[in-house]
């Protein structure tokens, strides 16, 4: 049996600028740094981490660093854990993006602006690589992004790429999976009690 914590990054500059983030490489805000520090402390108090994997984008890498310092475990950077590649939308204000690139409803996944199949394939690769490195009885954390966490959930439970699941993950939200021989079990989702005193 293995335990896997999936953790979203803290608040980023894009959140307060109201722009499309995706591959835009924004840093955490001051609040985001505080959130990440609180998350790292909470996880270290409740779990003995053996491994940490993280996206290479700044907001996730900075969040993972707080977890690393609190848990005393090095971060394994993995580019496959980056958020979706949103192409022309990257860094654009929401209103401008909507005017310049109106959303097409019911577009097949293989034709979507977000490259749904490629995104899921990255999640599958990253998850398989991470799980292969976690010994039985160990606990690992993946620090990534809301979209990627959705894809990792879908990969864990075997949903098809076209399913496009939507699992809520707030700033530094934590999800716990237990990976047993009879399949994965979601223990809790989007836990944020570490933010209650903020």
């Amino acid at each position: 049996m293995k335990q896997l914590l999936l953790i979203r990054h803290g608040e980023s500059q894009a959140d307060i600028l109201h722009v499309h983030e995706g591959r835009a490489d924004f840093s955490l805000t001051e609040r985001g740094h505080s959130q990440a520090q609180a998350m790292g402390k909470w996880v270290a108090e409740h779990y003995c981490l053996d491994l940490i994997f993280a996206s290479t984008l700044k907001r996730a890498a900075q969040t993972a660093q707080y977890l690393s310092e609190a848990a005393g475990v090095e971060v394994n950077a993995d580019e496959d854990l980056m958020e979706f590649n949103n192409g022309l939308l990257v860094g654009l204000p929401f209103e401008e993006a909507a005017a310049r690139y109106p959303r097409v409803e019911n577009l097949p996944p293989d034709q979507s602006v977000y490259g749904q199949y490629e995104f899921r394939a990255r999640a599958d690769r990253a998850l398989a690589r991470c799980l292969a490195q976690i010994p039985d009885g160990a606990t690992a954390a993946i620090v990534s992004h809301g979209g990627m966490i959705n894809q990792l959930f879908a990969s864990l439970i075997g949903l098809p790429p076209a399913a496009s699941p939507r699992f809520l993950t707030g700033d530094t939200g934590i999800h716990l999976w237990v990976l047993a021989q009879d399949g994965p079990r979601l223990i809790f989702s989007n836990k944020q009690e570490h933010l209650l005193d903020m």
Side-chain angles (χ1 to χ4, degrees), residues 33-57:
H33 282 283
S34 296
Q35 292 171 336
Q37 186 173 31
M39 175 277 299
K41 181 181 177 187
W42 186 91
V43 170
E45 288 174 352
H46 291 84
Y47 298 93
C48 181
L49 285 185
D50 299 286
L51 292 159
I52 300 172
F53 305 95
S55 161
T56 53
L57 292 173

Side-chain angles (χ1 to χ4, degrees), residues 12 26 50 63 68 76 81 91 97 101 107 111 115-116 118 129 132 148 151 157 171 173 176 187 193 197:
S12 76
F26 287 94
D50 299 286
T63 301
S68 172
N76 297 288
L81 290 170
Y101 308 106
L107 197 64
Q111 298 174 27
Q116 190 70 22
E118 184 275 337
R129 193 162 48 245
M148 176 53 77
Q151 295 301 318
I157 60 179
D171 293 336
L176 174 62
I187 307 303
E193 65 183 60
D197 294 331

Side-chain angles (χ1 to χ4, degrees), residues 1-5 47-51 53 130-131 133-141 176-179:
M1 187 176 74
K2 307 173 182 183
Q3 290 192 119
L4 179 62
L5 294 162
Y47 298 93
C48 181
L49 285 185
D50 299 286
L51 292 159
F53 305 95
C130 293
L131 293 182
Q133 296 179 60
I134 307 171
D136 284 338
T139 300
L176 174 62
W177 287 86
V178 169
L179 309 172

Side-chain angles (χ1 to χ4, degrees), residues 2-156:
K2 307 173 182 183
Q3 290 192 119
L4 179 62
L5 294 162
L6 298 180
I7 303 168
R8 184 175 180 258
H9 61 78
E11 181 185 76
S12 76
Q13 294 290 337
D15 295 328
I16 59 177
L17 293 172
H18 304 291
V19 300
H20 282 278
E21 198 159 26
R23 286 294 178 86
D25 204 7
F26 287 94
S27 295
L28 294 176
T29 62
E30 184 176 338
R31 178 176 173 78
H33 282 283
S34 296
Q35 292 171 336
Q37 186 173 31
M39 175 277 299
K41 181 181 177 187
W42 186 91
V43 170
E45 288 174 352
H46 291 84
Y47 298 93
C48 181
L49 285 185
D50 299 286
L51 292 159
I52 300 172
F53 305 95
S55 161
T56 53
L57 292 173
K58 288 176 187 173
R59 56 197 185 271
Q62 291 170 343
T63 301
Q65 190 57 41
Y66 284 104
L67 181 58
S68 172
E69 291 167 3
V73 177
E74 290 186 11
V75 175
N76 297 288
D78 189 334
E79 290 186 350
D80 275 343
L81 290 170
M82 288 195 293
E83 187 60 287
F84 59 81
N85 186 349
N86 52 346
L88 297 172
L89 301 180
V90 67
L92 285 181
F94 295 136
E95 290 183 7
E96 181 182 347
R100 289 173 62 179
Y101 308 106
R103 184 180 179 91
V104 178
E105 297 298 329
N106 302 316
L107 197 64
D110 61 327
Q111 298 174 27
S112 78
V113 69
Y114 301 130
Q116 190 70 22
Y117 287 153
E118 184 275 337
F119 193 23
R120 173 59 183 276
R122 277 200 293 115
D124 290 343
R125 282 196 310 267
L127 183 62
R129 193 162 48 245
C130 293
L131 293 182
Q133 296 179 60
I134 307 171
D136 284 338
T139 300
I142 291 177
V143 181
S144 190
H145 311 268
M148 176 53 77
I149 288 172
N150 274 282
Q151 295 301 318
L152 292 170
F153 266 53
S155 185
L156 274 164

